[in-house]
Amino acid sequence: QVQLVESGGGLVQAGGSLRLSCAASGRTLSDYVVGWFRQAPGKEREFVGAFSWSSHFVYYEDSVKGRFTIYRDNAKNTVYLQMNSLIPEDTAVYYCAAGSTGIAIKIKSEYGYWGQGTQVTVSS
C-alpha cells in the first residue's frame, strides 16, 4: 500500500503560482500512475493530469494545459503539480491519487489510493 499526503495549497491572486506536493510513503511512486484531480464546491471531482514513471508519460486536461506542470522527485518519492497563471476557476480542493499502471487515467474509480486534499483559492 501507498499513503499520499498533499501540501502546498493556499490563497493566491489571479495570475499567480502555487506548487502542490504529493508525498508518498509505504511504496515507491514509480510503481504507480499518479493523477491529480480537483473538486470545486458543488461540482464533481474532475481530472487535471497524470504522470507515470514506468510508462514515461505525462498528460494534462485541456483546461490546464500550458499552465500546469506535473513532475517528480525520485529521491523524495514525491510528485509535484506546478500551477502557473492561475485563474479563479482553478479554485478547488486538489487531490493526488495513485493507481496501477495501465488504468484509465481520467476515471476516479481507477485509482486505489488518495490523499486528503489541499485547498487552492484564487482571488480575482
Side-chain angles (χ1 to χ4, degrees):
Q1 286 192 342
V2 62
Q3 293 79 43
L4 305 173
V5 177
E6 299 100 335
S7 61
L11 173 64
V12 64
Q13 287 189 331
S17 299
L18 281 175
R19 188 184 74 166
L20 306 184
S21 301
C22 176
S25 60
R27 288 189 65 174
T28 174
L29 283 177
S30 60
D31 294 337
Y32 298 93
V33 170
V34 177
W36 284 95
F37 290 78
R38 65 187 182 185
Q39 188 165 17
K43 294 189 176 181
E44 292 281 326
R45 191 172 299 188
E46 65 176 9
F47 174 77
V48 173
F51 177 90
S52 170
W53 267 262
S54 60
S55 301
H56 305 290
F57 77 80
V58 58
Y59 181 89
Y60 303 98
E61 197 67 353
D62 286 346
S63 58
V64 305
K65 198 175 296 182
R67 301 188 297 121
F68 290 11
T69 304
I70 301 173
Y71 63 98
R72 70 187 187 195
D73 184 327
N74 287 349
K76 295 183 178 180
N77 203 23
T78 298
V79 171
Y80 299 96
L81 179 66
Q82 177 67 44
M83 306 186 295
N84 298 328
S85 302
L86 285 161
I87 59 177
E89 290 76 14
D90 294 320
T91 295
V93 177
Y94 283 72
Y95 300 88
C96 67
S100 300
T101 304
I103 61 171
I105 60 172
K106 295 187 178 184
I107 308 300
K108 297 186 293 291
S109 59
E110 293 279 300
Y111 292 84
Y113 306 97
W114 290 83
Q116 82 288 354
T118 185
Q119 176 71 48
V120 171
T121 303
V122 183
S123 63
S124 57

